[in-house]
Amino acid sequence: MSQPLRLGVAGLGTVGTGLLNLLQAHRDRLAHIVGREIAVTGVSARTRAKKRAASFGDAAWFDDPRKLAADKSIDVFVELMGGDEGAAREAVETALAAGKHVVTANKALLARHGTEIARMAEANRVALGFEAAVAGGIPVIKALRESLASNSIRRVYGILNGTCNYILTKMQEELRAFDDVLKEAQEKGFAETDPTFDIDGFDTAHKLALLTSLAFGTRVAFDEIDIEGIRSITQADIEAAGDLGYRIKLLGVALRTESGIEQRVHPAMVPQHSAIAEVSGVTNCVAIDGDFVGNLLLVGPGAGAKATASAVMSDIVDIARGGGLPRPFLVPAAALVLYERAKLGQHQGAYYVRLAVFDRPGAMAGIAGRMGERSVSLESIVQRRPKGAQIGINARLKPGAPTPVILITHETTEEAIRGALDAIQSDGNVSEAPQMIRIEPL
Ligand SMILES: NC(=O)c1ccc[n+]([C@@H]2O[C@H](COP(=O)([O-])OP(=O)(O)OC[C@H]3O[C@@H](n4cnc5c(N)ncnc54)[C@H](OP(=O)(O)O)[C@@H]3O)[C@@H](O)[C@H]2O)c1
């Protein structure tokens, strides 16, 4: 057997201890597959005395992950700390400069600095593996970088955040309000105490930024993503979506258009019987439309100690096997083209709109007129009875009280629908800001 592959693991939390447990459970199997032993020779975390979910045996302890990154005793630096700056960035850059391979699960870091970090890896002739950074256990990075490398990709999209999908699934299945489900998710440990990162769409956007680069050969452009989270989704939207044959999902979508690339994160209506609508709870999925392969849907666990460790390990196995170094973003980092954003407002699609319309003469005519001025044609208009009416109580509205009205538009541009909704709101025929959700064609 060849020399062991020596790992330095920085971060011994959920993913780090998951990796240690995987290495322990499959030590012999891994050695058999790659033809050499894979050993953890150094570890680092913030607090040495902390009780851990895995043992790191006789690996040397480093208080400072940067020291571990540069240490002679390791061949691969495995960064599992998190954060887009500070220790994680410095340690990764230190490791690359010292000629160590790097494996990381850190989407925040790569979404911000991925292009430069990939350049550094290539310049130092070492690997940069980040399979675990997108959709946890789903092998989507390798799918795009290797299996689908010959395809021209038209679109890549998916459900990339388990917390949001859990909340939306619960709201739909148990007819519960957003705040109520979020609280439960926090109590069960599915959502962070500060859930902003997840529910406001940033975590999805980090992952999308990496998928976009791999799919379209562009520099990582996290700042170019239009991001909208799920806070504004109400039970009324979930119910209306169900009645109309849709489900609401938080999607990350990257699409090649004639005017450039669209990168967006937002709640979207997807047909109830589509495969993506069936992806429920904390499960993730990634759909890829390639010109030769057709449409693929990869579904699986997007997070968790075991699934994420499995993805981290897949990069380590590649390194242990040796052979050619894969370019982190498929093409050389210096050849990644400048990201060109599709023209603002030109997104084409159908929309769901929910309005709280004052029950007074001319209100609906005024609304239809505003839509007509911008050539937005309507596929359907449904005046929903107040919630109580559906269960047979309090069926009548007070005269003048707002009535929920649901509109489904034919295909139009975002610019047109937003303009129409702004005008409708200024006219004073609605009691609150209109709700608008894109209907994603699948
Ligand atoms: N959790 C998942 O399911 C999942 C899935 C995909 C990707 N990821 C990514 O994987 C990475 C790790 O996530 P996680 O959930 O495992 O996080 P975590 O449970 O919070 O663990 C983070 C670990 O990093 C250590 N750490 C933090 N700052 C450090 C510093 N300055 N110096 C040394 N050690 C430091 C912590 O040390 P102490 O333990 O001593 O505090 C802890 O062991 C993140 O980039 C995350 O986005 C996670």
Side-chain angles (χ1 to χ4, degrees):
M1 267 205 190
S2 335
Q3 290 291 312
L5 183 77
R6 302 164 306 166
L7 310 181
V9 179
L12 299 173
T14 306
V15 185
T17 55
L19 179 69
L20 295 179
N21 285 329
L22 167 51
L23 271 162
Q24 200 168 26
H26 288 317
R27 183 180 306 277
D28 294 344
R29 185 184 141 66
L30 285 163
H32 183 59
I33 293 170
V34 303
R36 60 200 287 202
E37 196 197 335
I38 299 177
V40 178
T41 49
V43 295
S44 177
R46 259 184 311 229
T47 315
R48 186 172 187 165
K50 202 173 190 175
K51 203 169 174 320
R52 308 274 169 197
S55 150
F56 50 88
D58 56 3
W61 175 272
F62 289 75
D63 283 327
D64 185 346
R66 286 154 285 225
K67 291 246 168 67
L68 172 61
D71 200 83
K72 284 198 180 66
S73 67
I74 67 161
D75 306 306
V76 184
F77 180 66
V78 187
E79 187 279 302
L80 303 172
M81 296 181 287
D84 59 358
E85 295 294 345
R89 183 179 180 191
E90 287 161 22
V92 163
E93 291 180 351
T94 303
L96 295 173
K100 317 281 183 194
H101 302 292
V102 167
V103 173
T104 179
N106 190 339
K107 55 252 175 179
L109 173 70
L110 293 177
R112 289 271 176 212
H113 308 293
T115 312
E116 303 81 70
I117 291 175
R119 265 185 213 239
M120 267 190 90
E122 288 172 16
N124 289 287
R125 301 186 157 279
V126 289
L128 170 67
F130 56 96
E131 184 61 72
V134 180
I138 302 176
V140 64
I141 302 298
K142 283 185 215 288
L144 283 167
R145 193 164 58 194
E146 296 166 23
S147 317
L148 305 174
S150 68
N151 281 258
S152 168
I153 308 288
R154 194 186 75 81
R155 179 170 65 159
V156 53
Y157 63 101
I159 297 173
L160 301 171
N161 183 273
T163 304
C164 288
N165 206 43
Y166 173 86
I167 292 173
L168 292 172
T169 305
K170 283 271 172 185
M171 285 176 76
Q172 174 222 320
E173 287 175 353
E174 296 174 11
L175 301 178
R176 287 163 60 195
F178 173 81
D179 289 335
D180 183 27
V181 180
L182 172 61
K183 197 162 155 271
E184 186 198 86
Q186 286 169 320
E187 281 161 10
K188 287 192 170 171
F190 294 150
E192 304 286 337
T193 320
D194 175 6
T196 308
F197 231 54
D198 291 322
I199 64 178
D200 291 335
F202 298 108
D203 178 71
T204 299
H206 284 149
K207 297 166 185 167
L208 183 68
L210 302 178
L211 292 179
T212 306
S213 281
L214 275 163
F216 304 125
T218 49
R219 290 184 206 162
V220 186
F222 170 74
D223 290 332
E224 301 284 347
I225 303 179
D226 290 318
I227 308 173
E228 208 183 294
I230 61 167
R231 278 185 210 266
S232 70
I233 302 297
T234 65
Q235 191 44 242
D237 298 318
I238 299 271
E239 275 182 47
D243 292 351
L244 293 160
Y246 293 100
R247 283 202 185 142
I248 301 176
K249 298 287 182 189
L250 182 75
L251 296 186
V253 183
L255 180 71
R256 197 195 285 279
T257 74
E258 276 171 18
S259 73
I261 292 168
E262 251 179 51
Q263 267 190 124
R264 44 192 167 83
V265 172
H266 54 78
M269 299 269 200
V270 296
Q272 210 159 41
H273 299 298
S274 59
I276 201 164
E278 304 283 334
V279 175
S280 60
V282 294
T283 306
N284 280 19
C285 71
V286 186
I288 302 167
D289 301 350
D291 61 346
F292 272 66
V293 72
N295 299 340
L296 290 183
L297 185 70
L298 308 174
V299 182
K306 284 181 145 183
T308 313
S310 154
V312 171
M313 202 60 222
S314 76
D315 287 327
I316 297 171
V317 163
D318 283 349
I319 294 167
R321 279 181 174 146
L325 290 175
R327 290 170 180 138
F329 288 102
L330 180 61
V331 297
L336 289 170
V337 297
L338 206 58
Y339 177 88
E340 207 172 317
R341 190 187 176 111
K343 280 206 189 90
L344 205 70
Q346 293 307 301
H347 166 76
Q348 291 270 348
Y351 292 84
Y352 155 99
V353 173
R354 179 172 51 79
L355 301 169
V357 182
F358 285 118
D359 186 17
R360 57 190 178 212
M364 282 311 296
I367 288 166
R370 290 304 195 184
M371 292 285 190
E373 282 166 15
R374 287 160 184 83
S375 306
V376 177
S377 64
L378 300 177
E379 184 190 292
S380 70
I381 305 178
V382 181
Q383 183 174 335
R384 283 175 70 82
R385 297 157 82 202
K387 217 176 168 201
Q390 290 168 9
I391 53 170
I393 50 163
N394 193 18
R396 316 206 91 211
L397 283 170
K398 285 198 203 100
T403 310
V405 172
I406 308 294
L407 311 176
I408 300 290
T409 75
H410 283 294
E411 196 159 286
T412 180
T413 63
E414 181 136 352
E415 202 170 31
I417 186 77
R418 283 201 187 275
L421 295 182
D422 286 349
I424 288 167
Q425 197 174 358
S426 322
D427 290 343
N429 285 324
V430 292
S431 67
E432 58 186 59
Q435 169 72 296
M436 180 196 94
I437 302 176
R438 295 171 183 90
I439 299 176
E440 195 67 26
L442 297 182

